[in-house]
Amino acid sequence: MQFESVTMLDFPPFKDFSLNLPEGLTVIAGTNGVGKSRLLAFLSQQRPTSRHNINWPGVSLRGNLADGKVINFDVNRALSATVISSLRPYDHRYQAETAVVDQTNFSNVGRVFKNWFVHMDHFEMRGWIEDPNSASNFNLCKQIFSLLDPTYRFLEVNRNFEVLLETPAGPLPYDRTSSGFQSAYLLLFGIVFGIDFYSQGQQSAEEFEGCILIDEIDVHLHPAWQNRILGLIQEIVPRAQIIATTHSPHIIQGLSEHQLVVLETNTKGVPHIKEISPRPSAYGFQGWSIEEILRDVMGIEDTLSQERQRIEQAFNDALDSDDLAAAQAPYEQLMTMLHPTNPLRRVYDMQYRAMGGVSV
């Protein structure tokens, strides 16, 4: 099951809004408050109970409803530390002692995921895994430890039921890695675990044809990881539909034109789809710089700091009035504050010397 289109006649802040959702990847961008999260919330509430109920008011679906599910992540992704005191039977591998799975939100499945992972490791060593697709999902989760950062890899589950990783600093329990590291990885783990949980081990991640909703996919991710995260998700679930929101130009930089939807509001505060101008080429946004994406896609007119704008204005005013004394202070400030390789350093220096000034 995947979403083909959505029409929201009156779902604040949306009114008379429609959007086609292609197969594969759709990323939704826009300022805070424009309705990105509300759009995902609307989609996450659409849960069919019958394969014959193909359409709801406002939503059109594609695919077999019996084959797909919606796996939803909000922005509060956390892989909470948990203690496993004893091993449980195979049928209880989805049940942690102190947590249950919220089937509408996989952002906080940390406790249940760790319980599942530790038990699957135990069952694998003894040859007790009954479902080959579940075994495939478990092995994929072991590989995920190295996907975002090749310097990390799964080592073992020790006697205390800690998931140990090989790291540049030596063996380290996963629970003791940084919260940002855990949050970033939970997105990948949560997708695979969600598929295994929904199907009770009968479907592998590579066969999943449902929909994955991810609010603010760039949360906690370093720009280097932002550039890679969508490609990794598509590698893990190649048949899935992925609908994500973002504030990151690094996420947008890897997209084709048809994969991006930018929302903006009209004078009445009602969201609509922004027309990007100039339009990208066949390469999408992959040839655009971060500054060009910030300006032409995200609507940020000036990417410079206010302090730099103030100093540049003072220097240009001094140039216009041919006032060498007034130009000296902002010139020296610009030569100090600009990046060492910025070509404007040479321009400002030439302009200052043309007035009779001496280079610093």
Side-chain angles (χ1 to χ4, degrees), residues 63-351:
N64 186 345
L65 298 189
D67 291 342
K69 298 290 183 179
V70 175
I71 299 178
N72 183 38
F73 294 87
D74 64 26
V75 297
N76 300 308
R77 297 189 280 275
L79 185 55
S80 306
T82 186
V83 175
I84 299 175
S85 59
S86 61
L87 294 172
R88 309 173 76 185
Y90 185 73
D91 289 344
H92 293 173
R93 64 192 185 280
Y94 303 113
Q95 303 170 12
E97 295 177 0
T98 59
V100 296
V101 175
D102 177 359
Q103 297 187 38
T104 64
N105 182 5
F106 278 79
S107 300
N108 294 288
V109 297
R111 293 180 182 274
V112 189
F113 169 77
K114 181 179 178 182
N115 179 82
W116 174 81
F117 189 91
V118 168
H119 279 75
M120 289 296 290
D121 180 76
H122 173 74
F123 299 141
E124 182 186 56
M125 287 192 299
R126 286 156 180 77
W128 293 348
I129 297 182
E130 300 171 5
D131 308 300
N133 285 318
S134 195
S136 172
N137 292 331
F138 171 62
N139 285 321
L140 177 57
C141 283
K142 288 193 290 186
Q143 297 168 26
I144 283 174
F145 284 110
S146 301
L147 284 182
L148 277 175
D149 189 340
T151 64
Y152 284 73
R153 69 178 183 88
F154 170 68
L155 194 59
E156 65 173 349
V157 174
N158 67 13
R159 294 181 179 178
N160 296 321
F161 305 125
E162 294 177 315
V163 179
L164 291 184
L165 305 181
E166 185 66 58
T167 76
L172 182 69
Y174 185 77
D175 291 346
R176 298 180 196 173
T177 59
S178 71
S179 58
F181 182 96
Q182 294 183 44
S183 175
Y185 273 78
L186 178 61
L187 184 55
L188 303 177
F189 291 137
I191 289 171
V192 180
F193 173 75
I195 293 167
D196 204 81
F197 173 83
Y198 267 139
S199 68
Q200 295 294 291
Q202 301 305 302
Q203 187 176 45
S204 68
E206 66 178 3
E207 296 172 341
F208 180 71
E209 295 182 340
C211 182
I212 298 167
L213 305 176
I214 309 170
D215 200 9
E216 296 191 23
I217 191 170
D218 48 282
V219 166
H220 300 300
L221 292 179
H222 184 276
W225 284 11
Q226 291 177 20
N227 275 323
R228 300 178 55 215
I229 188 66
L230 283 171
L232 292 177
I233 293 175
Q234 290 176 294
E235 182 181 332
I236 289 171
V237 281
R239 301 183 185 180
Q241 180 182 44
I242 301 161
I243 305 173
T245 70
T246 189
H247 290 116
S248 169
H250 299 281
I251 294 286
I252 295 172
Q253 199 174 41
L255 302 177
S256 63
E257 181 183 14
H258 79 275
Q259 292 175 324
L260 179 66
V261 175
V262 181
L263 299 181
E264 62 180 5
T265 54
N266 62 19
T267 55
K268 296 182 179 181
V270 178
H272 64 95
I273 298 173
K274 174 182 177 179
E275 191 144 339
I276 298 171
S277 179
R279 292 186 62 176
S281 69
Y283 290 95
F285 303 97
Q286 296 176 78
W288 289 29
S289 69
I290 295 299
E291 282 199 353
E292 290 163 344
I293 292 172
L294 288 171
R295 183 188 65 235
D296 296 331
V297 177
M298 308 184 79
I300 300 176
E301 295 297 332
D302 203 322
T303 60
L304 305 180
S305 69
Q306 292 184 352
E307 181 68 0
R308 175 172 165 179
Q309 293 179 56
R310 183 188 67 80
I311 295 172
E312 284 185 330
Q313 185 62 53
F315 181 71
N316 289 327
D317 289 345
L319 287 178
D320 292 340
S321 59
D322 199 24
D323 188 339
L324 178 61
Q328 180 178 357
Y331 163 75
E332 292 176 351
Q333 290 171 318
L334 287 169
M335 291 299 100
T336 301
M337 75 186 309
L338 290 180
H339 190 279
T341 64
N342 192 322
L344 285 175
R345 293 174 64 91
R346 185 176 180 183
V347 173
Y348 291 145
D349 186 61
M350 292 173 61
Q351 291 173 325

